[in-house]
Amino acid sequence: MLISQIKGANGEIVVAVREQGGAARSVKNAGSVYALAMEAADGGKSLAAVIEAHGYGDAVDLEKVYAEGRFLPPITHPDAAHLHLTGTGLTHLGSAATRDSMHKKTSEAAEETLTDSMKMFKMGLENGKPKAGEKGVQPEWFYKGNGYGTAAPGAPLVSPSFALDGGEEPEMAGIYVIAKDGSPFRIGFALSNEFSDHVTERINYLYLAHSKLRPAAYGPEIRIGAAPDDIRGTSRIKRGDKVIFEKPFLSGEANMSHTFANLEYHHFKYGIFRVPGDVHVHMFGTATLSFADGIKAEEGDVFEIEVAEFGLPLRNPLKVAAEEEIAVRQL
């Protein structure tokens, strides 16, 4: 089942659901995806059961919604500060050839000659998929922001004036709510664009935190349930009528050095991320970047990320913010 949120005629949130490849219908008296998810989490029910109990209303033309710019992020929080955007990196193997060559390189190289990134990648290869009942190695982790940093599907991803680059990162994102007893529950997975400043990151790896403090987009739809083991999609950049970059990207545990469960554990093991009522959008990394192929996105370019099993593609144009004067005043 795929679930999404759209802006209604009076500004209200309309929740739409559909089976893959099928037509969408609204959910009666849903309020929001967040409200439905919390009802399920706090009531000990599945989200599908809660949706079924609410019942279905009018048909929804999602293509028309997209064209009219009425998609909202597929989950929002009534207080945007309680939606957390986070992620993990160095989690994907890339192609089988890349995996084999990189594994050989990290196995044969002397430990002292490896970069911190390569050491982290090697740790994931060795213990990112622990046996049942065991804890695996913790991954690289970063913070992107909160709900104020989300861009709806179709809306611009705004690069700050001081940024040195604004580039896409096609990823899968896990979507979670925290029940009233502090238990994390996964709604499902969605396409995401973990938009970053790769030039800043390349200057010095300690600038990673700065490079990640950018908006992110996810959706338009959440695929309820577990992710497929092998996820294959396409990442492209359109400039006007031309496609200036197009490349397949892989995700899913068959193409990763970590299990989703291991990555989830190392996020939610921190009590600060198990505050009742909070929402988490956690991005799981990528192996495909246009930046790595020498592409520099320009204002007006459109990023498009597509995986058939996850519904409509995620599209967002690039916008560059006007320069701001920032000054701290003494009270």
Side-chain angles (χ1 to χ4, degrees):
M1 181 181 286
L2 299 166
I3 189 168
S4 57
Q5 293 190 142
I6 64 178
K7 189 183 297 182
N10 299 312
E12 76 281 12
I13 295 175
V14 175
V15 175
V17 296
R18 66 183 179 121
E19 296 300 328
Q20 184 181 330
R25 298 187 70 181
S26 64
V27 179
K28 291 182 177 179
N29 303 312
S32 65
V33 169
Y34 173 74
L36 292 172
M38 291 304 296
E39 183 180 341
D42 291 338
K45 303 174 184 177
S46 72
L47 182 54
V50 168
I51 291 170
E52 192 69 28
H54 276 254
Y56 303 99
D58 297 336
V60 179
D61 185 339
L62 294 181
E63 293 283 6
K64 182 180 179 183
V65 166
Y66 219 158
E68 293 174 349
R70 293 195 292 120
F71 262 123
L72 298 169
I75 191 167
T76 48
H77 193 285
D79 179 351
H82 285 274
L83 186 153
H84 307 278
L85 297 173
T86 55
T88 55
L90 302 172
T91 54
H92 281 64
L93 301 170
S95 67
T98 301
R99 177 191 64 193
D100 291 342
S101 63
M102 189 169 289
H103 184 77
K104 181 178 179 181
K105 181 177 180 180
T106 57
S107 298
E108 295 180 352
E111 189 71 22
E112 62 271 14
T113 66
L114 296 178
T115 64
D116 286 341
S117 293
M118 290 297 286
K119 289 177 183 177
M120 184 70 74
F121 183 82
K122 182 180 179 183
M123 288 163 62
L125 287 175
E126 294 172 346
N127 196 22
K129 294 182 174 180
K131 297 177 182 177
E134 296 181 359
K135 300 291 191 296
V137 68
Q138 61 186 1
E140 175 195 57
W141 181 95
F142 55 84
Y143 173 75
K144 281 195 70 68
N146 57 29
Y148 291 105
T150 60
L157 282 164
V158 181
S159 184
S161 61
F162 55 79
L164 302 179
D165 175 56
E168 88 298 339
E169 293 202 17
E171 307 188 14
M172 303 314 305
I175 313 296
Y176 309 86
V177 295
I178 311 300
K180 60 185 177 183
D181 66 356
S183 300
F185 282 87
R186 185 198 315 121
I187 297 173
F189 293 84
L191 301 176
S192 70
N193 188 338
E194 196 270 288
F195 183 65
S196 300
D197 182 342
H198 302 103
V199 173
T200 292
E201 179 185 348
R202 190 173 61 178
I203 292 171
N204 188 305
Y205 192 67
L206 294 179
Y207 279 165
L208 177 71
H210 287 280
S211 74
K212 296 297 186 183
L213 286 173
R214 300 291 186 272
Y218 49 95
E221 300 174 89
I222 300 171
R223 187 180 191 268
I224 297 173
D229 191 51
D230 184 19
I231 298 170
R232 296 171 181 263
T234 304
S235 177
R236 61 180 66 91
I237 301 176
K238 296 179 178 178
R239 182 170 295 167
D241 295 331
K242 296 182 178 179
V243 175
I244 65 166
F245 172 82
E246 183 171 83
K247 200 168 186 177
F249 80 93
L250 304 176
S251 193
E253 290 183 3
N255 304 298
M256 296 170 66
S257 54
H258 289 260
T259 62
F260 285 124
N262 188 55
L263 299 175
E264 290 171 335
Y265 166 74
H266 286 295
H267 179 72
F268 289 110
K269 69 183 181 183
Y270 296 101
I272 196 171
F273 294 145
R274 298 194 308 274
V275 175
D278 278 6
V279 172
H280 291 258
V281 177
H282 190 73
M283 288 153 271
F284 288 109
T286 188
T288 302
L289 301 172
S290 65
F291 177 79
D293 285 2
I295 301 295
K296 184 174 177 59
E298 298 177 357
E299 187 165 24
D301 288 353
V302 177
F303 303 114
E304 184 173 273
I305 300 166
E306 186 172 23
V307 178
E309 297 93 331
F310 289 82
L312 294 174
L314 176 61
R315 303 186 190 101
N316 298 92
L318 173 62
K319 182 179 179 180
V320 178
E323 189 168 353
E324 297 179 279
E325 290 293 332
I326 307 297
V328 176
R329 293 180 288 175
Q330 178 64 51
L331 290 175

